[in-house]
Amino acid sequence: VTSSPEMPGEDLTKLGLEDIEISDNRYNHIVHMQSAAIGAEKFYTTEDHAARFEGIELARERDNRAMEAWRDHPYVDIIDNRSDFDSKINRLIDLVVKRTGINVGDRFSANSRKVKFVVSGICPDSDFPVKFTDFQVVHHYLHSAQKGFQTRLRKRVRNGRATFTFTVRKPELQGQTVEVKQPISQRDYSNLLAHRDDNHLPIFKTRRSFLYENQQYQLDIYRAPCHSRCKNLILLETFTTSNDDELVDSLPPFLKVKKNVTGDPAFSMYNLSIRSDWEDSAEQFCHRLSSDDEEEEENVYDVRQAHERLVHVSEENTVFDVRRNERQASESDSVASL
């Protein structure tokens, strides 16, 4: 807050405040996140938004006034809408952790991306070489009245205590897929569960979170009861700024990583949960989260290919040779010693 027509200098004096004290000393760092009303108008809406009620013009005016209020602070960063929303959030976190001197690895870097791998089995819990936390998770997909929208419930349990989340995944818009997640009560969870979509099976899995070399990983271990396509399926997820070759070299060597399946709809939880065989339900298979119509013949062809990829990766015995750089160095040392 600085002095303005709404709060002139004499009002600050009455409150025992000084303009420069508020501007310079109250906060160490100011990060202004520009409203979607400026540069991302298609995403600006007051629907399902408890804190937003202004029309777009009023939102622009208030955004500019808020930004102007901090113009004299010595450390101001402005995050505009040139990138998608996930990148915007990551830029915010990246600025804050750098300012506070915290090292969080790649997870919240501004250009971080989510990657997914198929893993071939894991060792017994007692032999897992790093500390981990297991959650028991169940997902239910719900009926959605809007085309292209996906709605689901998640129940996550640890040590007998459960949390509940309701998620709406909206169709792709300008290259962005928007997910709105909100915590809900057990009562709301039970009520919403009555609207589950029986075309989809519930997904049961153990989610294992762990850190390895300053990088956060999650293992999704699919559990019975499940469709046969999910049997023994284990997926590894993380966020990274590395290219694919660098990433493979940095994966935990105690995991047998088989294939990079990032972006492959055959390994989408939505598609994995479809009750019937994919070829019998091509119209349900989500190739991409878009509301565009697609030809039925193309759908059938795509689901056949997706099924073949899923089966192939589960049957093949090859795994990534991680730590390639270390292996090459070791081979070089062996040659040198000869």
Side-chain angles (χ1 to χ4, degrees):
V1 178
T2 59
S3 59
S4 65
E6 288 72 30
M7 193 172 190
E10 55 265 26
D11 289 343
L12 289 173
T13 302
K14 289 178 182 178
L15 294 172
L17 301 173
E18 293 185 12
D19 196 351
I20 191 169
E21 180 69 22
I22 295 175
S23 172
D24 287 21
N25 296 332
R26 176 169 286 191
Y27 301 106
N28 295 327
H29 186 197
I30 304 299
V31 182
H32 177 81
M33 298 189 70
Q34 193 174 59
S35 168
I38 303 174
E41 291 82 359
K42 287 188 176 181
F43 296 95
Y44 187 86
T45 177
T46 57
E47 295 180 9
D48 302 320
H49 203 299
R52 182 188 288 168
F53 57 88
E54 305 96 336
I56 195 165
E57 292 301 329
L58 181 57
R60 287 170 176 164
E61 177 189 342
R62 290 186 170 178
D63 185 275
N64 288 328
R65 288 173 60 190
M67 185 164 54
E68 181 70 15
W70 294 107
R71 70 181 184 275
D72 297 330
H73 193 279
Y75 304 108
V76 178
D77 283 289
I78 298 171
I79 300 179
D80 57 24
N81 293 299
R82 285 177 290 180
S83 59
D84 62 27
F85 186 73
D86 284 343
S87 297
K88 187 176 180 181
I89 294 297
N90 284 346
R91 285 163 61 197
L92 165 67
I93 298 173
D94 194 38
L95 284 168
V96 172
V97 298
K98 284 179 178 176
R99 175 70 66 182
T100 54
I102 300 173
N103 186 352
V104 294
D106 282 350
R107 174 63 178 89
F108 295 114
S109 295
N111 59 338
S112 179
R113 60 192 175 94
K114 185 178 181 178
V115 290
K116 182 186 295 186
F117 296 87
V118 175
V119 172
S120 175
I122 57 174
C123 60
D125 293 355
S126 57
D127 295 332
F128 205 78
V130 296
K131 292 182 179 179
F132 63 88
T133 302
D134 279 354
F135 299 88
Q136 303 308 315
V137 181
V138 58
H139 295 269
H140 288 273
Y141 281 92
L142 308 179
H143 288 288
S144 179
Q146 295 174 281
K147 183 179 180 182
F149 282 65
Q150 295 177 4
T151 56
R152 67 178 185 266
L153 294 173
R154 184 188 73 182
K155 178 180 179 181
R156 190 165 102 143
V157 180
R158 181 190 175 200
N159 296 332
R161 302 197 59 160
T163 58
F164 307 92
T165 305
F166 174 65
T167 300
V168 177
R169 194 176 189 195
K170 300 181 179 181
E172 185 177 294
L173 179 63
Q174 294 184 335
Q176 297 186 54
T177 299
V178 177
E179 276 197 348
V180 180
K181 298 183 179 182
Q182 63 182 95
I184 58 174
S185 67
Q186 184 172 1
R187 180 178 179 180
D188 288 339
Y189 175 83
S190 299
N191 290 337
L192 287 168
L193 201 57
H195 301 281
R196 60 183 174 270
D197 185 351
D198 288 332
N199 290 317
H200 289 262
L201 294 168
I203 292 288
F204 296 90
K205 57 189 178 184
T206 297
R207 170 160 289 180
R208 174 165 297 184
S209 298
F210 66 93
L211 295 174
Y212 178 74
E213 293 193 350
N214 204 37
Q215 183 79 12
Q216 183 191 41
Y217 293 92
Q218 289 187 339
L219 278 171
D220 278 349
I221 306 163
Y222 282 71
R223 302 293 193 192
C226 63
H227 195 284
S228 59
R229 68 173 74 96
C230 299
K231 186 178 180 181
N232 299 322
L233 180 63
I234 303 175
L235 298 176
L236 175 71
E237 294 183 355
T238 190
F239 287 80
T240 185
T241 58
S242 303
N243 62 42
D244 287 347
D245 287 340
E246 293 173 338
L247 178 60
V248 167
D249 284 340
S250 66
L251 292 174
F254 51 84
L255 296 176
K256 296 179 180 179
V257 181
K258 300 182 73 171
K259 186 179 181 180
N260 187 337
V261 294
T262 305
D264 189 338
F267 298 88
S268 157
M269 186 173 67
Y270 180 86
N271 291 329
L272 290 169
S273 71
I274 294 175
R275 182 179 294 272
S276 58
D277 290 338
W278 286 342
E279 289 190 34
D280 297 332
S281 52
E283 73 285 351
Q284 297 178 39
F285 190 92
C286 182
H287 308 273
R288 61 185 184 277
L289 197 57
S290 171
S291 58
D292 297 337
D293 291 330
E294 300 177 25
E295 294 294 332
E296 182 177 350
E297 188 173 326
E298 292 180 358
N299 284 347
V300 175
Y301 176 70
D302 285 346
V303 297
R304 285 174 182 164
Q305 288 188 328
H307 179 71
E308 289 171 2
R309 293 195 301 273
L310 182 66
V311 171
H312 176 71
V313 76
S314 65
E315 292 179 348
E316 66 181 356
N317 294 320
T318 57
V319 296
F320 279 131
D321 189 3
V322 300
R323 300 289 170 179
R324 181 174 56 195
N325 292 338
E326 292 181 8
R327 176 175 49 79
Q328 289 176 342
S330 176
E331 291 174 351
S332 298
D333 292 342
S334 298
V335 172
S337 65
L338 292 174

